[in-house]
Amino acid sequence: MHPPETTALRRKLSGAVVTAADPGYDAARAVWNGDIDRRPAVVVECASRQDVVTALAFGREKGLEITVRGGGHSFSGSAVTDDGLVIDLGGLRRVTVDPASRTALVGGGALWADVDEATQRYGLATVGGTVSDTGVGGLTLGGGFGWLTAKHGLTIDNLVSAEVVTADGRILRASEGTHPDLFWALRGGGGNFGVVTEFEFRLHRVGLAEVGMFFWTLEDAPKALRFARDVIATLPPGTGAMLVGLNAPPVPFVPAEYHLVPGLALVVTGFDGPERHARLIERIRDGLPTAFELVSPMPYANLQKLLDPTAPRGILAYEKSLYVDSLSEEVIDLIAARLPDKASPMTIMPIVPLQDTYSTVHDDATAFGGPRTPGFVVGFAATAPTPELLAADRAWTRALWEELLPHSNNHGGYLNFLNEYDEDRVRTAYGAAKYARLAAIKAVYDPGNVFHHNANIRPAE
């Protein structure tokens, strides 16, 4: 799009317009995944909700494909498309905490690091992701789980309300009491229903996290997987946990001889004081000797950054996922056999237990597509510094995913952990009844399917 066509748009905005003719275009179109290289016609860097309304109207008037960028952290790169218009919410990052009501208002362009920093000043937090650079918007709208999920559920289970700019330019506040159909759909239905310019979250008292990370090399993988499965099954209620196939990071707490050595890490995080957690740590120590460990109290905001080194901006990335009811013998044998085949030292395989508070929420309470029964989400995050390594681990990811698929209880996978959003997989992820309900709501708020660069739900006829 030629700059003169955006002259009137620039005058109407408090934010900025960036096209290929403007300085900073390459930075404005860049997203977290360095494998994504798309050239939008216009990027509107919004500074207010009214800027979003203006940008949306401009895009529709010009017949442009429209995408929305919160943190830009998705593996799929859905925040940008060639020749389209990007509604960039990066200027909407304000976080306002009300410690008396234990709520926070969070701008649609905020990152989880912004939320954690603001809420922890009051000893509060809500359920965020496990990489602090992740955008609040994308993670929340897809469900959202993190270290606090066992204690407080998904991110969407802690959403009180959301301000949404709909496809026709209306600004609505969705909650249980106002536009409840839209509020239900936003909690798991992704970016299908409008541009969320502000989230309101319920907060919880969260002080120091008691963290234990235990690492075993791949020669111990079968034993480590079975041991970790048994530990996870008997964790004290509310304990956060993750089992990760990864190469040991070259950081100070890792002995030099284990830097970049492939293996398995079990991370357990307690939020109910050191005494209770100490008993769990001793049980793990006594159960299976490790290559090394990190056991330490940690500010919650620091815990949120623990995995950041695995996901630097600009890394080349590809991802798939699936759900399993349990880490069965067959699942463990497959993972143990295939983990040594990954090529990139940065590729990780996160296995996240979903239990306790997560599974107390009724399946129909939100639009979330995953099963609300206890189980695991198995992720495959192929991340690599070179195209050759990415190609190798993309193939590895797809092959292992195919092998594990017969053991899955929901073949659609966790939609925040996917690169490709083909329609069959999206329908499978939600199930027939939930997809039909979402499609009916989509027909009310976005009948023209303006917002379709996502895990798309087509409006009902």
Side-chain angles (χ1 to χ4, degrees):
M1 178 165 291
H2 299 296
E5 294 184 53
T6 64
T7 301
L9 175 64
R10 293 172 197 265
R11 285 200 298 264
K12 294 176 183 176
L13 294 167
S14 52
V17 174
V18 185
T19 70
D22 294 305
Y25 174 70
D26 284 337
R29 70 185 181 89
V31 290
W32 168 82
N33 184 355
D35 192 45
I36 305 297
D37 183 19
R38 297 176 188 151
R39 301 184 65 85
V42 187
V43 178
V44 178
E45 297 178 339
C46 298
S48 67
R49 62 176 67 87
Q50 190 56 47
D51 280 357
V52 174
V53 175
T54 301
L56 187 53
F58 175 83
R60 297 195 69 181
E61 177 193 343
K62 299 295 184 182
L64 295 171
E65 293 283 292
I66 292 171
T67 63
V68 182
R69 175 186 173 131
H73 202 285
S74 75
F75 278 70
S76 69
S78 57
V80 288
T81 190
D82 288 324
D83 303 318
L85 179 141
V86 179
I87 297 177
D88 188 337
L89 304 179
L92 304 177
R93 287 178 65 169
R94 185 176 179 183
V95 180
T96 305
V97 179
D98 183 343
S101 66
R102 293 192 191 175
T103 57
L105 294 173
V106 179
L111 307 180
W112 280 107
D114 301 326
V115 179
D116 297 334
E117 180 184 350
T119 57
Q120 278 287 281
R121 290 186 196 129
Y122 304 94
L124 300 170
T126 194
V127 181
T130 54
V131 172
S132 71
D133 188 46
T134 306
V136 170
L139 182 130
T140 300
L141 296 173
F145 50 74
W147 300 113
L148 289 171
T149 290
K151 199 167 184 64
H152 298 299
L154 291 172
T155 307
I156 53 171
D157 300 330
N158 295 276
L159 187 64
V160 178
S161 70
E163 179 185 83
V164 187
V165 178
T166 59
D168 59 4
R170 289 178 295 158
I171 301 174
L172 306 178
R173 174 66 67 170
S175 68
E176 291 284 9
T178 58
H179 305 288
D181 57 339
L182 177 59
F183 185 58
W184 179 86
L186 291 173
R187 288 176 292 159
N192 276 285
F193 304 94
V195 184
V196 180
T197 50
E198 185 178 79
F199 297 87
E200 181 184 8
F201 291 110
R202 186 178 302 108
L203 305 177
H204 308 276
R205 291 247 171 252
V206 177
L208 281 177
E210 303 293 331
V211 178
M213 188 180 90
F214 303 87
F215 184 90
W216 297 274
T217 60
L218 285 184
E219 64 188 24
D220 289 326
K223 287 188 293 185
L225 283 162
R226 288 175 170 84
F227 176 68
R229 174 192 62 191
D230 296 342
V231 167
I232 289 166
T234 57
L235 288 173
T239 304
M242 186 185 297
L243 179 60
V244 192
L246 80 170
N247 292 52
V251 295
F253 72 82
V254 176
E257 63 267 31
Y258 290 109
H259 284 189
L260 298 180
V261 169
L264 283 155
L266 173 64
V267 185
V268 291
T269 58
F271 301 97
D272 296 314
E275 295 81 8
R276 187 184 192 192
H277 199 65
R279 293 192 293 273
L280 170 61
I281 295 300
E282 287 308 311
R283 180 154 60 89
I284 296 173
R285 281 176 174 157
D286 293 343
L288 185 66
T290 61
F292 65 87
E293 65 176 48
L294 168 68
V295 175
S296 175
M298 191 178 293
Y300 175 73
N302 289 16
L303 168 63
Q304 288 288 85
K305 297 177 181 178
L306 189 65
L307 296 180
D308 282 8
T310 69
R313 281 197 173 253
I315 198 70
L316 311 180
Y318 176 84
E319 189 169 39
K320 292 181 82 70
S321 69
L322 49 77
Y323 294 99
V324 295
D325 287 326
S326 65
L327 296 181
S328 65
E329 293 298 302
E330 296 85 355
V331 167
I332 283 175
D333 287 343
L334 278 169
I335 293 171
R338 299 293 181 238
L339 257 182
D341 298 336
K342 78 179 185 70
S344 171
M346 301 192 72
T347 290
I348 68 170
M349 185 175 181
I351 302 170
V352 183
L354 301 172
Q355 54 194 31
D356 299 348
T357 300
Y358 165 86
S359 55
T360 65
V361 177
H362 195 276
D363 181 63
D364 291 334
T366 69
F368 179 66
R372 284 289 191 150
T373 49
F376 297 81
V377 60
V378 180
F380 314 87
T383 45
T386 67
E388 294 76 18
L389 284 174
L390 179 65
D393 277 2
R394 184 189 288 115
W396 173 81
T397 290
R398 288 171 172 167
L400 181 51
W401 183 85
E402 289 282 356
E403 288 187 287
L404 288 171
L405 200 56
H407 306 282
S408 170
N409 59 19
N410 180 310
H411 292 186
Y414 176 46
L415 293 176
N416 278 354
F417 277 10
L418 294 180
N419 257 74
E420 300 116 346
Y421 298 133
D422 63 79
E423 186 173 355
D424 286 346
R425 190 167 299 137
V426 174
R427 286 178 177 272
T428 302
Y430 287 111
K434 192 167 277 191
Y435 186 92
R437 183 176 175 185
L438 284 164
I441 297 169
K442 175 82 168 179
V444 173
Y445 293 97
D446 183 18
N449 204 12
V450 170
F451 303 110
H452 62 268
H453 286 276
N454 47 38
N456 192 232
I457 295 157
R458 295 181 180 274
E461 295 294 333

